[in-house]
Amino acid sequence: MTAHPPVAALRGRRRPRRAVTSFAAVSVLVSGAALTGCAQERDSDVYTVMNSSTDESYHRWDAEAMARCGTRLGVRIDQQSVPAAQVMTKALRMASSKSLPDIVQFDASEMPTFAEAGGLVDLRALGLATDDIPQGIVDFGSYRGTYYGAARSVNTLALFYDKDALEQAGLEVPATWDELRDTAKKLTEGKRYGLALSAGGAEDGVFQFTPFMWSNGGDETELDGPRVVQALDYWKALLQDGSLSRSTVNWTQADVNDQFMAGNAAMMINGPWQVETLNTDTSLHWGIAQIPVPQAGDASVGPLGGAVLTVPRTGDTDREQTAGRIVACLAGEKEQLTYALNSWMVPANEKAATVWRERVPELDALADQVAEARSRTAQLGAGWPAVSLALQSAFQSALTGRSSEAALKHAQQRATSGNRGTRP
């Protein structure tokens, strides 16, 4: 959003649908740039990071971090920010003109496409260590076992709830699917729905569906499997109960937060990037818990979201080495903690995450959720976009009348067709 939250809206802003760039086009452009080297003459002491920090606060936090790291390393680090949906296309244009920046911050779901084309440098070869990073987060920044992307922080989804609404109804925070369905029903009254989530036809909706699919044992390699069908049937049941608005098929995650803050939903599935906005309403007393699971004792498995810092392969090995040191600084324990405390995200580094838990205990459940979270691209790599598009179509059609089984059977066929010619 994000590319801080996955595809999530940056503080209530709507994002255009991310374009899916064909692997063939990426491969031609990236390999051309990598094999012929960087044609652009550059100032030897000036390095550039391209990211999606167009939001004023994120841009400022990043600029401050780059200034600190620049001072430590004796270089100047410039920031070039473009909208999240344009990072990949901008990087491809720059690859074509042999003017790639020294560092590109990709949304982690897009990184495998650039890596598959041979456009990124192995960060371990540049001296970056992963000793204090949980394996799931290492995988999040890896493609086919090679560590290409360093995350400064990660995010995932959780259940946000209106403490006052639950207290007035005498209800406990739900922990299982049955409890969530029952609680949502009881909290639905008047204009207020019990639960809000995003089932929009974009990555936001897929991001929100994955915890239900994965916690139920479903898998993106078998979209028409019974566990995935059950997860989609569960969404349909919430809708049929009247606990979800029918507008859920049009909502982004920012819309969901708007509904929650307006009192139109007593609970919502959303991420930590909404916390700053939530805190602007001091009359709203919200809490956070892990997303309910099918059965008590099941693991709540959410999606890892966030961005990773990568070093494009430009052919200038000296600059690539320095770029690696810049990434190591920006993704170091100290900078991670500073960034996470500013942005409400969870540090990728375990030591930084421990301190973060102490500093923001109200988000402790989020750190637990991150510990079990998975990367969307870990299994499919560059094949993920085709699966994402197929899933979007499936839950949109199922929530508007089609059977889950038929919708997901079609999705599996579509995903298989879309990934022919790629290497999942």
Side-chain angles (χ1 to χ4, degrees):
M1 266 200 182
T2 1
H4 300 288
V7 190
L10 283 172
R11 305 236 262 284
R13 297 180 184 178
R14 294 174 187 275
R15 289 187 173 193
R17 183 177 298 201
R18 191 184 300 274
V20 176
T21 308
S22 75
F23 168 73
V26 174
S27 183
V28 169
L29 292 169
V30 171
S31 60
L35 291 173
T36 56
C38 177
Q40 188 183 63
E41 290 295 327
R42 308 185 191 205
D43 189 319
S44 61
D45 294 328
V46 180
Y47 288 77
T48 304
V49 178
M50 186 168 76
N51 60 25
S52 61
S53 300
T54 53
D55 178 272
E56 187 278 329
S57 295
Y58 281 103
H59 193 84
R60 173 166 43 84
W61 297 331
D62 281 338
E64 292 168 354
M66 290 174 198
R68 288 189 293 269
C69 286
T71 299
R72 286 174 212 160
L73 298 171
V75 297
R76 192 180 92 198
I77 306 171
D78 290 342
Q79 180 177 197
Q80 181 180 10
S81 299
V82 299
Q86 297 175 20
V87 171
M88 176 61 82
T89 52
K90 177 77 172 176
L92 291 174
R93 282 199 296 273
M94 297 175 87
S96 178
S97 62
K98 301 178 178 56
S99 59
L100 277 165
D102 299 287
I103 296 164
V104 177
Q105 181 172 282
F106 284 112
D107 184 277
S109 66
E110 291 185 332
M111 179 273 290
T113 302
F114 222 77
E116 171 82 14
L120 300 177
V121 180
D122 178 358
L123 294 183
R124 287 193 177 99
L126 297 178
L128 273 80
T130 57
D131 297 346
D132 294 327
I133 304 174
Q135 188 58 46
I137 298 177
V138 173
D139 293 343
F140 179 67
S142 301
Y143 180 65
R144 293 184 175 274
T146 300
Y147 183 55
Y148 291 113
R152 287 186 292 171
S153 65
V154 293
N155 61 68
T156 189
L157 296 168
L159 178 73
F160 290 73
Y161 57 91
D162 183 332
K163 290 181 178 178
D164 294 338
L166 265 72
E167 184 178 339
Q168 288 164 12
L171 297 169
E172 299 291 328
V173 179
T176 66
W177 281 10
D178 284 347
E179 291 173 4
L180 177 62
R181 189 174 175 185
D182 184 58
T183 303
K185 256 188 200 178
K186 291 175 177 172
L187 289 171
T188 300
E189 61 178 27
K191 69 171 187 176
R192 186 183 71 191
Y193 291 90
L195 178 68
L197 54 79
S198 167
E203 187 71 14
D204 271 21
V206 177
F207 201 66
Q208 296 243 326
F209 182 66
T210 51
F212 293 88
M213 175 173 73
W214 288 337
S215 297
N216 196 43
D219 193 278
E220 58 270 37
T221 61
E222 188 183 5
L223 297 181
D224 54 353
R227 298 286 186 170
V228 186
V229 173
Q230 287 172 3
L232 189 48
D233 275 341
Y234 182 73
W235 268 22
K236 290 189 70 165
L238 290 168
L239 191 69
Q240 288 160 0
D241 288 345
S243 301
L244 285 180
S245 166
R246 295 204 172 274
S247 296
T248 192
V249 294
N250 299 315
W251 285 346
T252 65
Q253 294 178 114
D255 296 326
V256 168
N257 194 56
D258 289 344
Q259 296 297 319
F260 182 73
M261 292 189 70
N264 296 332
M267 300 181 289
M268 69 169 177
I269 305 296
N270 225 315
W273 52 91
Q274 307 291 4
V275 169
E276 191 168 336
T277 304
L278 289 169
N279 285 344
T280 62
D281 184 353
T282 56
S283 68
L284 178 60
H285 306 129
W286 57 271
I288 188 170
Q290 290 194 49
I291 296 175
V293 293
Q295 303 291 332
D298 290 345
S300 183
V301 186
L304 275 176
V308 292
L309 294 166
T310 68
V311 176
R313 192 159 62 91
T314 62
D316 186 335
T317 54
D318 288 341
R319 288 191 72 91
E320 289 172 0
Q321 289 288 339
T322 302
R325 288 193 284 275
I326 293 171
V327 170
C329 180
L330 292 172
E333 180 183 339
K334 185 176 179 182
E335 289 297 338
Q336 279 198 23
L337 180 60
T338 301
Y339 185 78
L341 289 171
N342 280 331
S343 63
W344 303 100
M345 305 298 171
V346 182
N349 181 287
E350 286 180 325
K351 294 177 181 174
T354 299
V355 177
W356 182 86
R357 280 178 185 259
E358 295 169 357
R359 302 276 290 274
V360 284
E362 66 272 27
L363 297 184
D364 195 52
L366 192 71
D368 292 335
Q369 189 87 53
V370 161
E372 293 284 347
R374 284 174 49 181
S375 165
R376 285 163 288 165
T377 58
Q379 293 199 72
L380 297 175
W384 171 258
V387 168
S388 174
L389 288 173
L391 262 179
Q392 292 165 30
S393 176
F395 58 67
Q396 286 262 298
S397 62
L399 293 177
T400 52
R402 199 176 188 186
S403 76
S404 300
E405 187 174 4
L408 288 165
K409 184 176 181 180
H410 179 70
Q412 181 60 45
Q413 293 168 345
R414 183 177 172 185
T416 302
S417 174
N419 276 329
R420 283 194 185 116
T422 64
R423 297 190 302 158

